[in-house]
Amino acid sequence: MDRDAPAVGEGTNIDDEAPRIEPTIETEAATKTDDAELERTLGLVGGLAIGIGTMIGAGIFVFPGLAAGHAGPAAAGSFAIGAVIALFVALPASELATAMPKSGGGYYFISRGLGTFAGTVVGLSLWLGLVFATAFYLVGFGYYAVDTLAELGIAVGNGLVIPLALLFGAGFTVLNVTGTENAAKLQNGIVALLLSILVCFLGFGGLDALGLVGEPATPERFAPFGAFPVLTTSALVFTSYLGFAQIATVAGEMRDPGRNLPLSMVGSVLIVGALYVVTIFVATSAFGSERLAELGETAMVEVGRHYLGSIGALAIVFGGLLATISSANASILSTSRAVYAVSRDALLPRRASRINLRYGTPHVALGLAGGPILVLVATGQVELLAEVASFLHLVMYGLICVALVSLRRDEPEWYDPDFRTPGYPVVPAVGAVASFGLIGFMQPASQVIGVAVMAVTAGWYFYYARDVTLRGAL
Amino acid sequence: MTRVLVPLTVLEGESVSPGLVRLLEPVDVTVLGYHVLPEQTPPDQARLQYGERATDALADLATAFEDGGREADYRLAFTHDRDQTIDRIAAETESRAYVITGAAGSIDRLFVALTGDVAVDRILEFVAELVGDREIDVTLFLATDAEADGRLALEEAVETLSRRGIDAESTLVVSEGPFDAVSGAPFDTLGEAAAEHDAIVVGEHAPSLQSFLLGEEPERIAAESVGPVLVVRPPARDTSSASDSS
């Protein structure tokens, strides 16, 4: 392995490790390096399941109560704004992913398009952003677990939310280290089950909300607090759309990436966005937004009870459990992949991506995901966790759009995407402005923590990896 | 020249027995070292850590095959899906068959199963090339519910081999009632008969409900017989439609 590194992408870090960049040939079915082939095993359905499975938990099951409290029925508009921003980023991300169908996703595009410094900051922020997102999903899971027990007649109160979340967070980490046989198939099953629960529930609730069946709904002012809270709520609920970019992190494992990557990224945003908007509409039609806000993280359970009685409540409790589990597990996996992508480029010590010979799993990277997640879960700050996760992802999304413009303007020879963003350069420009702009609508506390995390990652770059160069490397 | 693919879990120490190396002397060989990873591990991550170690082992194995004087090369693949990898590389190398290695000393008796919906002509042609003018006994085996058709098919098969200078015995098993792939009766007889031989040749057929429930037939035969199983692949299909199945 001590061959000379290619002329592009040299330099060593403080541990004298250099980026591992080798020439590869990408085909539809495999990636070929000079000594080995990496099979591509994920199809379109697998890609969609990763995107939907990561996204569907938070938005539908945790946010309706919180969002309605902030913005009234216009919270539906907040989710729609989030979906549009996500789409403006998903298109450029798809183009970059088909040009660079490798593990690493957003980190990889930015480090190649904008250089090592931006890459380091984004790569490490992505890892920490996923840690915040996973902690948020786990706390949401805790609320649903307590509600499940309540539905089963065991009232334990909200005091157990955090202990339960911690227990399951530790459980998922251990499960991922010891190997989860057929986890992807299970994940696909969960996503399919969730979608059918939601479609039934939303179909009935939607008819009711429109006044076609049941009692006519009480009319409520659409945006009782004005337009500004709609935007701040968009910033809060944007965590709901953090799944589509995770598809790019498995680009190296996807068959026919030129077709399946754009389809699954754009498709999952559209499907999930539509579900969110309808859900908020149904939820705010069932109760006034004040009542929803009182019900908090598990308001959807009462919405289910309102439309379909205790069966509806049970279905939503069950769905909420599945959805938060699926989001949390998918995010723990993505976190360990983010750590790997950065350590392969020598921006973190190589030890971070060691694989455990017994189980074949990256135990160090999974530990670097699981440990900090548990610390954050213990804080129990739902909104803060969600916003910091959004903050760190939005920076990456904005920079993905900038990286696309940068690569297109100075198109290197290797840059040959199968999918080209329609409406260039307007779409990436709007995507970048919208992503950075949304950050401005967050709570000051989230902004301060987000900036602090990025400052620490920048500090790491200057301490550890200043001499590593990746620009233009492939 | 006919090529045979030899897939091995090289990092788990799977190797080839001298008997199998000798059996495959008349054909070219591609050794496929593969490593199956759990879904949470990106294949590239495993390659960085284990690629070199696996390549060294594979180079040694390919040399062992080359000592017989024929052409042998090797490929290394990291995958989440073993079957997909074997299929893809068998197609790329245009391999006529792939091998489930098993354990074997000297291989003197070859068992050839013609049961079911398999390409009999391709199997017989492969057997003829493999045996050549060596002293290897061949038993042709067929289980069916249509006795007359089965007898005729076996006679034709024996005739085909004898034209290539190979003497073959034949065994016909007639199952009672309609031929029922799910009940497993013909499969059990096949397993018993096969266990008395040193190596087995079967044909690959399309995935069925049975293979879904019980595992691939060749795998089950290999598990029961201990010896190597050579799986003859069906003629190349049009693969353009098989782009997205999961």
Side-chain angles (χ1 to χ4, degrees):
Chain A
M1 278 295 153
D2 291 328
R3 283 169 297 176
D4 291 338
V8 284
E10 337 181 287
T12 55
N13 61 24
I14 201 166
D15 284 351
D16 271 346
E17 287 167 347
R20 298 216 182 169
I21 297 159
E22 286 150 83
T24 55
I25 302 163
E26 312 280 347
T27 70
E28 282 185 9
T31 301
K32 296 181 183 175
T33 66
D34 30 324
D35 62 349
E37 302 165 37
L38 314 170
E39 194 78 30
R40 296 178 172 275
T41 51
L42 272 173
L44 175 60
V45 177
L48 278 172
I50 290 173
I52 297 175
T54 319
M55 283 193 271
I56 210 167
I60 289 198
F61 292 96
V62 184
F63 276 134
L66 304 177
H70 287 292
S78 307
F79 275 96
I81 292 170
V84 171
I85 295 176
L87 267 186
F88 273 107
V89 179
L91 290 169
S94 298
E95 171 170 337
L96 291 169
T98 62
M100 300 171 248
K102 294 172 178 294
S103 307
Y107 156 72
Y108 196 89
F109 314 148
I110 291 165
S111 61
R112 269 50 182 182
L114 300 174
T116 319
F117 176 66
T120 310
V121 171
V122 166
L124 297 178
S125 301
L126 175 61
W127 156 36
L128 294 165
L130 282 163
V131 163
F132 275 91
T134 314
F136 162 67
Y137 299 143
L138 281 169
V139 176
F141 167 82
Y143 279 103
Y144 271 90
V146 166
D147 262 40
T148 307
L149 292 174
E151 289 298 317
L152 296 172
I154 311 165
V156 290
N158 280 356
L160 270 187
V161 166
I162 301 303
L164 280 173
L166 285 171
L167 188 69
F168 273 80
F172 288 140
T173 311
V174 172
L175 197 68
N176 279 311
V177 170
T178 56
T180 44
E181 197 81 10
N182 296 324
K185 278 177 198 141
L186 193 66
Q187 181 91 349
N188 292 359
I190 289 181
V191 169
L193 190 63
L194 265 177
L195 285 179
S196 28
I197 291 179
L198 280 171
V199 166
C200 288
F201 167 75
L202 293 177
F204 188 84
L207 290 178
D208 188 293
L210 293 169
L212 298 179
V213 292
E215 306 277 310
T218 25
E220 187 183 5
R221 273 185 57 202
F222 182 66
F225 311 114
F228 188 73
V230 177
L231 290 172
T232 55
T233 308
S234 282
L236 168 66
V237 303
F238 193 75
T239 328
S240 316
Y241 294 103
L242 298 191
F244 71 89
Q246 260 56 281
I247 302 172
T249 64
V250 295
E253 285 147 72
M254 193 170 265
R255 283 197 300 270
D256 196 359
R259 165 182 176 269
N260 288 338
L261 271 171
L263 275 181
S264 46
M265 283 211 230
V266 173
S268 57
V269 169
L270 287 176
I271 292 172
V272 171
L275 283 173
Y276 286 168
V277 172
V278 178
T279 304
I280 302 299
F281 174 70
V282 168
T284 51
S285 303
F287 302 122
S289 34
E290 269 178 46
R291 172 110 175 83
L292 274 181
E294 277 167 33
L295 293 168
E297 281 84 357
T298 52
M300 283 306 288
V301 179
E302 296 312 313
V303 176
R305 200 188 313 280
H306 173 82
Y307 284 117
L308 296 166
S310 50
I311 293 178
L314 265 180
I316 296 294
V317 157
F318 183 59
L321 272 183
L322 287 184
T324 45
I325 284 178
S326 133
S327 292
N329 199 41
S331 306
I332 290 178
L333 279 188
S334 300
T335 315
S336 94
R337 283 168 184 268
V339 170
Y340 159 63
V342 178
S343 95
R344 178 185 53 191
D345 286 342
L347 302 176
L348 274 182
R350 186 139 298 136
R351 292 191 298 282
S353 60
R354 291 296 291 179
I355 295 173
N356 167 325
L357 192 55
R358 175 150 173 219
Y359 300 113
T361 51
H363 57 295
V364 185
L366 285 166
L368 287 173
I373 288 170
L374 294 184
V375 173
L376 290 178
V377 167
T379 68
Q381 299 288 323
V382 174
E383 296 193 14
L384 195 67
L385 292 174
E387 281 205 353
V388 176
S390 292
F391 181 107
L392 297 172
H393 278 82
L394 280 166
V395 170
M396 177 177 84
Y397 292 168
L399 290 177
I400 284 177
C401 296
V402 176
L404 176 71
V405 176
S406 151
L407 281 167
R408 282 270 201 112
R409 285 176 59 129
D410 174 22
E411 209 164 302
E413 203 170 311
W414 53 263
Y415 189 76
D416 180 26
D418 293 338
F419 169 83
R420 284 191 173 252
T421 306
Y424 177 90
V426 178
V427 166
V430 172
V433 170
S435 300
F436 293 135
L438 200 54
I439 292 173
F441 292 99
M442 290 180 173
Q443 304 168 32
S446 317
Q447 293 169 338
V448 168
I449 296 180
V451 170
V453 168
M454 294 186 63
V456 169
T457 59
W460 175 263
Y461 168 78
F462 286 112
Y463 161 67
Y464 186 80
R466 206 170 358 169
D467 293 335
V468 179
T469 319
L470 299 167
R471 190 181 168 88
L474 190 76
Chain B
M1 193 174 182
T2 300
R3 180 171 290 275
V4 170
L5 187 68
V6 183
L8 295 167
T9 54
V10 63
L11 287 170
E12 285 159 33
E14 185 179 356
S15 191
V16 281
S17 52
L20 183 60
V21 174
R22 275 198 302 279
L23 178 69
L24 294 178
E25 258 167 18
V27 295
D28 288 339
V29 167
T30 296
V31 182
L32 163 62
Y34 68 93
H35 191 62
V36 179
L37 296 160
E39 288 134 4
Q40 54 269 56
T41 310
D44 195 43
Q45 192 169 352
R47 176 186 70 89
L48 284 182
Q49 197 169 332
Y50 299 120
E52 207 174 352
R53 198 186 302 178
T55 308
D56 288 349
L58 284 171
D60 289 349
L61 281 164
T63 312
F65 278 104
E66 269 172 350
D67 286 346
R70 70 333 239 311
E71 193 195 305
D73 58 6
Y74 64 88
R75 307 270 289 257
L76 172 63
F78 292 90
T79 180
H80 298 301
D81 185 338
R82 165 188 178 275
D83 294 350
Q84 184 183 320
T85 300
I86 292 178
D87 268 356
R88 176 176 65 82
I89 294 187
E92 281 180 19
T93 54
E94 292 176 9
S95 293
R96 182 66 69 87
Y98 70 89
V99 180
I100 301 167
T101 51
S106 160
I107 297 177
D108 306 315
R109 290 174 302 172
L110 204 58
F111 181 86
V112 181
L114 301 175
T115 303
D117 179 23
V118 294
V120 171
D121 292 346
R122 282 178 69 87
I123 297 177
L124 293 176
E125 197 187 321
F126 175 74
V127 168
E129 249 180 271
L130 187 66
V131 173
D133 50 8
R134 295 187 288 176
E135 290 291 319
I136 296 178
D137 295 337
V138 174
T139 306
L140 296 168
F141 175 91
L142 180 63
T144 177
D145 62 329
E147 184 171 359
D149 291 352
R151 195 170 302 283
L152 193 65
L154 272 181
E155 275 168 18
E156 276 177 21
V158 171
E159 172 67 27
T160 306
L161 286 184
S162 73
R163 256 185 276 128
R164 306 280 296 260
I166 298 167
D167 287 332
E169 294 170 26
S170 65
T171 308
L172 180 69
V173 173
V174 181
S175 57
E176 289 173 18
F179 181 76
D180 180 5
V182 183
S183 80
F187 178 80
D188 289 344
T189 18
L190 189 158
E192 280 163 32
E196 294 161 14
H197 295 71
D198 302 317
I200 299 165
V201 180
V202 297
E204 185 179 59
H205 40 84
S208 62
L209 176 67
Q210 184 191 18
S211 64
F212 178 74
L213 291 174
L214 301 171
E216 293 289 335
E217 196 175 78
E219 310 285 335
R220 293 162 61 210
I221 295 173
E224 284 199 19
S225 71
V226 185
V229 176
L230 290 82
V231 187
V232 180
R233 302 178 64 243
R237 289 167 303 240
D238 181 15
T239 50
S240 62
S241 62
S243 60
D244 198 72
S245 55
S246 76

